[in-house]
Amino acid sequence: MARIHELRRALFSPGEVSITLEAYVRIKDAGLEPQQLIERHTRGDWSGAPVKWIEKNHLRFQGVKEYPVMSVYQLHPSEDRVCVGTEADFSKTYVSNWPDGDHHAPLLPLKQAEAIYERQKLELSNSASARERVMNRLNRLAQPSKSKTN
């Protein structure tokens, strides 16, 4: 069954998309893709945003051109949330943690954040595999050797 926001056409293009690594990890940990939240944002699903933001979003599409478009999404089942914001001229959209994220974290192009995330995931996987091999080897060495008796 399609959700309401999936039935709506996009109200605007997100422009250039940037994201903090922290937000990217939170989104992926929730089993989502950043693009899913950006699509909800551009289609007008602003349900998690503060009321003042939603009012300004609606004013933006009624001709008040100076307001950016802002939304907030909770990443179920956790209590983590991210903010998606698009500049008033629709040239750029950014995704960051809200309200508790590092407000000085660098914004990276979405593709770059994805590449860093995948590389870190692979490194962690490889280090976990290496740890497992070492532990298996240590366990084998720690076991008493079985000598053949005649």
Side-chain angles (χ1 to χ4, degrees):
M1 181 173 191
R3 294 186 174 136
I4 295 294
H5 72 272
E6 293 170 341
L7 300 175
R8 295 181 186 152
R9 65 175 183 77
L11 300 171
F12 59 95
S13 170
E16 180 184 317
V17 177
S18 299
I19 189 169
T20 65
L21 282 176
E22 189 178 19
Y24 191 91
V25 170
R26 280 186 174 188
I27 292 167
K28 294 297 281 188
D29 285 352
L32 298 170
E33 294 295 329
Q35 192 59 37
Q36 292 171 291
L37 300 180
I38 293 165
E39 285 178 14
R40 287 178 63 185
H41 175 73
T42 61
R43 292 176 187 209
D45 176 7
W46 307 311
S47 57
V51 173
K52 287 182 180 182
W53 289 11
I54 294 171
E55 290 170 350
K56 287 182 178 181
N57 289 349
H58 287 290
L59 287 173
R60 173 65 184 88
F61 292 98
Q62 293 172 3
V64 181
K65 305 275 189 217
E66 66 266 13
Y67 292 136
V69 180
M70 305 293 292
S71 54
V72 174
Y73 302 102
Q74 184 170 344
L75 304 172
H76 296 286
S78 76
E79 295 297 317
D80 292 338
R81 292 178 284 174
V82 295
C83 172
V84 180
T86 301
E87 292 186 4
D89 66 358
F90 302 120
S91 63
K92 296 178 184 176
T93 294
Y94 58 87
V95 183
S96 61
N97 287 341
W98 192 83
D100 60 340
D102 178 356
H103 298 288
H104 301 291
L107 288 165
L108 303 171
L110 186 56
K111 292 289 184 191
Q112 184 180 357
E114 180 179 7
I116 291 169
Y117 175 83
E118 291 300 325
R119 187 172 60 244
Q120 289 176 344
K121 191 167 93 172
L122 181 61
E123 288 171 4
L124 285 174
S125 172
N126 288 340
S127 66
S129 297
R131 263 194 313 274
E132 188 175 303
R133 287 192 303 272
V134 168
M135 289 306 293
N136 286 339
R137 189 176 306 143
L138 289 172
N139 286 335
R140 282 195 306 272
L141 291 172
Q143 293 176 355
S145 61
K146 297 178 182 177
S147 58
K148 292 184 179 180
T149 57
N150 291 347

